[in-house]
Amino acid sequence: MDVKEGYIDFEGYQTYYRIVNPEGHKTPLLLLHGGPGSTHNSFELLDHVAFDDDRPLIMYDQIGCGNSSIPENHPELWVKETWVRELENLRAKLDLREIHLMGHSWGGMLAIIYLCDKQPMGIKSVNLSSTLSSASLWEQEARRLIKLLDPDTEMILLEAQETDSWDEPAVKSAINEYYHRYVFGPFDENTPECITRKKPNAFESYVTAWGRSEFAPSGTLKDYEYTDKLNMITCPVMLISGASDESTPLQNKVMYDAITADKRWHICPSSNHLTYYYEHELYVKYLTEFLNEIDGR
């Protein structure tokens, strides 16, 4: 498999990148992973798309996680502006003048921030995958999803939110119930290695930017409200989400309605948050058809 890996200097730190099929002839697809503080790892499930579709796929670990620099005791770094500058730096250093953009979860938030606040040139399309445009709506929907769990789990999670106590065994067990219903897992020996691969500790970037709770943002992103800015996106947009996704149909409907550019929205009926794993073939079909439609214009 033809894969190029390397590091790019960024403000005294280093950003790890990985390019699959770097000699592909079609417009590259740049992927933004979730978190903040996750990694590119699960995107390796899409490696075959680079060859099947003759298209370079570019993925990277954002600063604060994975193979990139993970500075400690620098809370000032974990703001949206840092990750936008890193994205701009990556495009410049890799000479990515014309690209398709894809962001999953927090990566979709980063794509929205970048497109709305920077109005960058050379973006042919964007795939907003299981993401959100409003932190307050995310919290509202998470509370609704919690109420769909069994009453004991609901009580434990709601009490943990009120007290900001997340380390008790019962709370961790309740969080796992939420994750297994709406996010991903549980995994087993048949789960691809790129999903189960151990990740470096990215606790500081996640907690500082998002907070201790998946359900209620309390960090530097707590005021993320971009629904009213979505009309600033001018390139074609594709939304993909799962029917049982924590990025709920309501959140995607709100985004879809607010986008004024060429748009479409697909729901993967048997997926939660990790749509490109749980319904891989369907996801790849939506993705490649979209990219080739735009490239053919």
Side-chain angles (χ1 to χ4, degrees), residues 44-59:
E44 293 180 22
L45 292 170
L46 299 172
D47 279 1
H48 70 93
V49 174
F51 302 98
D52 295 344
D53 200 35
D54 192 22
R55 182 186 307 279
L57 261 60
I58 303 155
M59 50 197 79

Side-chain angles (χ1 to χ4, degrees), residues 210-221:
W210 189 253
R212 293 291 305 280
S213 163
E214 178 76 7
F215 326 115
S218 59
T220 61
L221 294 172

Side-chain angles (χ1 to χ4, degrees), residues 181-289:
R181 177 82 68 91
Y182 305 119
V183 190
F184 52 71
F187 301 132
D188 57 31
E189 66 275 5
N190 297 315
T191 304
E193 182 274 337
C194 64
I195 292 181
T196 60
R197 186 183 307 157
K198 185 175 176 57
K199 302 174 184 178
N201 189 339
F203 183 76
E204 181 177 311
S205 59
Y206 178 80
V207 169
T208 306
W210 189 253
R212 293 291 305 280
S213 163
E214 178 76 7
F215 326 115
S218 59
T220 61
L221 294 172
K222 68 180 185 299
D223 296 323
Y224 167 82
E225 299 293 338
Y226 272 74
T227 302
D228 291 342
K229 297 182 180 182
L230 291 176
N231 60 5
M232 300 174 69
I233 297 176
T234 57
C235 65
V237 181
M238 178 171 65
L239 303 175
I240 302 181
S241 58
S244 300
D245 199 333
E246 61 177 345
S247 171
T248 61
L250 174 60
Q251 293 175 80
N252 283 270
K253 175 72 161 54
V254 166
M255 288 188 287
Y256 183 82
D257 288 346
I259 293 166
T260 55
D262 177 5
K263 60 188 177 182
R264 69 245 33 218
W265 172 25
H266 300 291
I267 296 179
C268 296
S270 300
S271 292
N272 52 28
H273 199 51
L274 204 57
T275 46
Y276 54 89
Y277 170 57
Y278 288 107
E279 288 181 89
H280 182 75
E281 291 185 6
L282 182 61
Y283 190 99
V284 168
K285 176 180 181 292
Y286 290 147
L287 175 63
T288 54
E289 287 181 352

